[in-house]
Amino acid sequence: MKFFKALLVFSLCSLSIFGQKNLSISGTLIDNNTKEPVDMATVSILNTRDKSFVAGSMSNKKGVFNVQGISKGQYIISITYVGYKTINQPVTLSGDNPATNVGKISLVTDDIVLAETVIEGKVPEVVVKGDTVEYDADSYKTPQNAAVEDLLKKLPGAEVDKDGNITVNGKGIKKILVDGKEFFSDDPKVASKNLPAEMVKKVQVLDRKSDMARMTGFDDGDEETVINLTVKEGMKKGTMGNAMAGLGHDVPEGGDLRYEAGAMVNQMRDHDRYTLMLGANNTNNMGAADLGAQRFGGMRGMRRGSGGINDSKNFAFGMNKEFSPKLSLNGDVSYNTSDRNSFSKVETETFLKNDSSLIDRQITKNEDISDNFGLNMRMEWKPDSMNTFIFRPNISYNKSESYETQDFEGFDALYGLQTDTVYRGFANSTNNGEGFNVGGSIEYAHKFSKPGRVFSVSFTGSYNESYSQGNSYWKKYIYEQNILNRDSVVNQRSENDNQTATYRIYTSYVEPIGHNNFLQFAYRYNRYNTESINSTYDLRHSTDFLLPQDTATLNGNQSRSTSRYATEQRFSLKFKSVREKYNYTIGLNVDPSKSTNKTLQPYNSEFTTLILPFPYDKRLPNVMGDSIIPGGLLEQNVINLSPELNFNYLFGKRTNLRIDYSGNTSQPTSKQLADYEDHSNPMNTVKGNPNLKPSYSNQLSARFSKFVPESQFFYNIDARGNLSFNDIVTVTTINTDRTKYTTYSNVNGNWNARLRGMFNTPLKNKKFTVGDFAMVSYDNSKGYTNGSLNTTKNLSVTNRANANYRSELFDVGLNGSLTYQNVVNELQSENSRETYDWGIGGYTAWYLPYKFTLDSDIDLILRRGYSEGFNTNQVIWNAALAKEIFNKKFGTGILKFKIYDILQERKSMSYTVGNGYTRNTESTTLPSFFMCSFIYKFQIFPGGNASAKDMEPDYGGRGGRFRGPDGGGRPF
């Protein structure tokens, strides 16, 4: 009887609930400017009392939305669409009318935050519109506790290399934003390796203009490709974090212990965010590889090896704080210390005349110790809708020590075959340095009452001060026809002090002239003040056993000081036209530049000899020269004219063509201008050229992209080229003893071109995805080889293909690559070289019963056409097994065992082509090692603990259910 009573009560309650939720809300979304319908916008119905989610839908191609299953009451219609301002409109459902239509709702574009991003959607895996590519994160399965880096590796067109560098569709990512706000300034790896993938709703890739360009609506040439991560609504109120500790050992006998430890805590409160990170390791991961990553975040990140083995410790704190809709603050502070040891072998072949060349081999051991501190902030204040202030201060400090030993030898060669020994030698050097930089910028924009009329001004400045002290001792043995002829010894200490002060003023005025046409008048002024003081001392060590001491005598010929005062100006006039299908900007820039360069040296080179106790590690006097050397005063005045063009044509909402042209001036560095000989490298004396002119480059690019929503097929084609005038190149002369003398010069005629294309498409049920990336590049590089003007032509062809299969049980991926390089040297066509790099590999991840996850990836790499000893075959195999040991309300615990380079074949090699030379480099790599780790993840949200996917409303096609922390249908 009790059972039937309960059943009756349950049935009545169900009917009552069903009867209350039979109302609907509909409407039409249109663009406020174009009056066109806005499709794929997110429409959420929120409870007025606590802003909790009630129901949701998406607008269709006609901009129409219809949200059903709502009971009577008071609600808020929340409409979000990236690139538009969020709309919150109240609505009351009385129950008298089952279908409430709110009519047309106009969406206003957001010109400040992500102005170029004009898409938002959940159902398609990829959406492309204009310059923005957007990926739906839930469409790409990642294992529990994966990091953002793991998610990026699954996205079509995205690549994460062995060092964690990110490229998407061939473009390097400079920053990662979180909900449109910077996350730890200019280091995208901090976000990719630490933030959990499950918090991400959308991954948006866009070409973001500078703050000033977004405020004025006109490009200023300061553009960067960034990723913006939009966060799921349920993850914006709570605290999430992870901690990891791991211990392991090298596999080879006699290896070292390996350790990794770190923690990350991230707290979000709507628009506010606070993040703390700590890390320490000796596995080159900078404490971040396995923080938040159960899978390849550490494993693939370990396949680095270039640059030695690093023992590092770091701390970082970042924040976003929105004090009010008018005032927000973003900033981060970081500190890291590292001790890096490296061992490298370098072989350089410099082409001479008559089919001969010089082969130089160096074996170098380094230890570099550094401490770095940085502080970056960004404050935005909008006192009203017409005025915007942006303030960016930054401070950095660094301190370093380095110790280097080197053995070197040189050989004459004919047709690339080694003949006589020319020299042998060894060198020891140390260097200590310290420096700091203080800088910042402030930008202001005022919008007038007339739409489109904008006045803006910005000021940017920085001051840098650094010093270094170097000791170098080297001994060289000179041979003639393999017979020792003589030797030479150099023992020197150098003192260097550098100061650089720069500032820039930029002002702009935009005037609308009707019919969506605009004029911009802009002026930019840059000022550079640099001063470099160098004193080089010859050291001699006493042979007196009872009184060991050093004597230091100033070498006047090598003690040179330089000062440079330079100004750059730009007068700019631009016209911009905006139409329904296209927009374009044309302009003309006038760039006058002026510089004064002085080179001084001490008048009396017979400086009083200093008696130094042994050992002596303090600073010696650093003397500013009191006499300008002959030809040491140079004044330059240069004027460059450059047109500017930007054209963007929209064939449709997901198909566009963009063409850009611009010209830029680059000033030579202080080292390139320094008129004194640097003998720190015993085999290569370097001297600057104070007569260098600024270089001027012309850049042209065209990009076409298309996305087909029905098939999810996406492709783009990117072509770009660069032509330089007064390009600054290196001039190398080979002395009779086969040592080198290097300086710098200006040349004309350097140019390069690139053509890149890629496509990606899913197959049938979309569990299969295939893609391909291809690039052809050609470089025409002029320079000097042994005093003769030479041209090196470099043709490179690259193709990378991949195929992936994703399922609930396992993921599988295959990839293949080929890089062909043909280098032609005009001075010696016989020494032209063709090289081939083949690669084939794959990865798999198995999601096993009892919460086990097995990962493995393997790559076969083959190199051909290189110098002897550098044609290699490598099979790099990594694997990991993880087990979730608990998943409770207070967090998730994971045990993980991973092993890197199982076959012990990893090598770090690189090949460089320069004007008149080729260089092969082999560097230290971490040996094969294993690591046992414990990873702890936690998420704390108001009212309890829930995963991100449990807290994200699921619209259409995926059950349409909103689950609370108890798994039921109650809103959280």
Side-chain angles (χ1 to χ4, degrees), residues 239-435:
T239 302
M240 69 187 75
N242 52 59
M244 182 269 292
L247 186 64
H249 197 281
D250 294 341
V251 173
E253 186 177 350
D256 296 326
L257 283 171
R258 299 291 164 199
Y259 73 93
E260 293 180 333
M264 188 274 288
V265 178
N266 185 74
Q267 184 184 62
M268 298 188 73
R269 291 291 184 270
D270 295 323
H271 300 290
D272 297 341
R273 174 188 55 80
Y274 306 91
T275 306
L276 173 66
M277 290 187 292
L278 303 170
N281 70 89
N282 64 350
T283 59
N284 287 10
N285 286 331
M286 293 301 291
D290 262 343
L291 290 181
Q294 180 185 356
R295 299 185 62 232
F296 295 120
M299 184 155 43
R300 291 193 172 184
M302 280 305 308
R303 206 181 304 149
R304 47 190 74 202
S306 59
I309 301 174
N310 189 36
D311 191 333
S312 66
K313 301 172 181 62
N314 60 78
F315 157 86
F317 175 77
M319 64 170 291
N320 285 313
K321 174 66 178 177
E322 189 170 295
F323 298 97
S324 70
K326 296 181 178 181
L327 180 63
S328 62
L329 176 66
N330 172 276
D332 60 77
V333 58
S334 62
Y335 169 78
N336 70 74
T337 178
S338 67
D339 186 349
R340 182 178 294 271
N341 289 273
S342 64
F343 177 86
S344 65
K345 297 179 181 179
V346 181
E347 179 177 291
T348 304
E349 182 175 4
T350 303
F351 303 123
L352 307 178
K353 296 181 179 180
N354 302 322
D355 304 323
S356 64
S357 59
L358 172 67
I359 296 177
D360 177 83
R361 297 192 181 116
Q362 300 177 4
I363 299 177
T364 305
K365 294 181 181 179
N366 282 92
E367 181 182 12
D368 298 296
I369 303 171
S370 65
D371 294 275
N372 301 278
F373 168 83
L375 172 65
N376 300 277
M377 299 187 71
R378 182 185 187 274
M379 179 180 291
E380 183 172 331
W381 178 44
K382 295 191 288 186
D384 51 51
S385 60
M386 311 300 286
N387 298 281
T388 302
F389 293 87
I390 299 176
F391 177 49
R392 286 178 172 268
N394 60 81
I395 301 173
S396 63
Y397 168 81
N398 62 82
K399 186 177 181 180
S400 64
E401 302 176 34
S402 67
Y403 308 90
E404 179 180 281
T405 61
Q406 186 180 88
D407 293 299
F408 54 88
E409 57 184 353
F411 306 90
D412 278 336
L414 189 62
Y415 297 107
L417 300 177
Q418 177 180 318
T419 57
D420 295 336
T421 301
V422 179
Y423 55 78
R424 284 194 174 96
F426 63 90
N428 298 312
S429 64
T430 62
N431 193 282
N432 302 308
E434 189 174 7

Side-chain angles (χ1 to χ4, degrees), residues 535-553:
S535 294
T536 300
Y537 290 85
D538 293 321
L539 301 180
R540 291 180 177 83
H541 184 61
S542 171
T543 58
D544 190 340
F545 177 77
L546 298 178
L547 186 61
Q549 61 185 17
D550 281 341
T551 59
T553 305

Side-chain angles (χ1 to χ4, degrees), residues 95-111:
D96 297 334
N97 183 5
T100 300
N101 191 311
V102 296
K104 292 184 178 180
I105 299 178
S106 297
L107 300 187
V108 180
T109 57
D110 191 336
D111 297 327

Side-chain angles (χ1 to χ4, degrees), residues 725-750:
F725 297 98
N726 290 323
D727 198 15
I728 300 174
V729 299
T730 301
V731 181
T732 301
T733 303
I734 306 298
N735 300 320
T736 55
D737 61 358
R738 292 301 190 260
T739 59
K740 297 177 182 179
Y741 190 89
T742 299
T743 184
Y744 306 93
S745 183
N746 294 108
V747 299
N748 292 319
N750 280 353

Side-chain angles (χ1 to χ4, degrees), residues 13 47 53 177 289 301 306 323 392 465 582 584 634 665 688 707 731 805 807 929 972:
C13 291
N47 191 297
F53 179 84
L177 314 178
S306 59
F323 298 97
R392 286 178 172 268
E465 186 174 304
Y582 64 90
Y584 65 89
L634 177 66
T665 300
F707 173 67
V731 181
Y805 175 81
S807 73
F929 71 95
F972 185 74

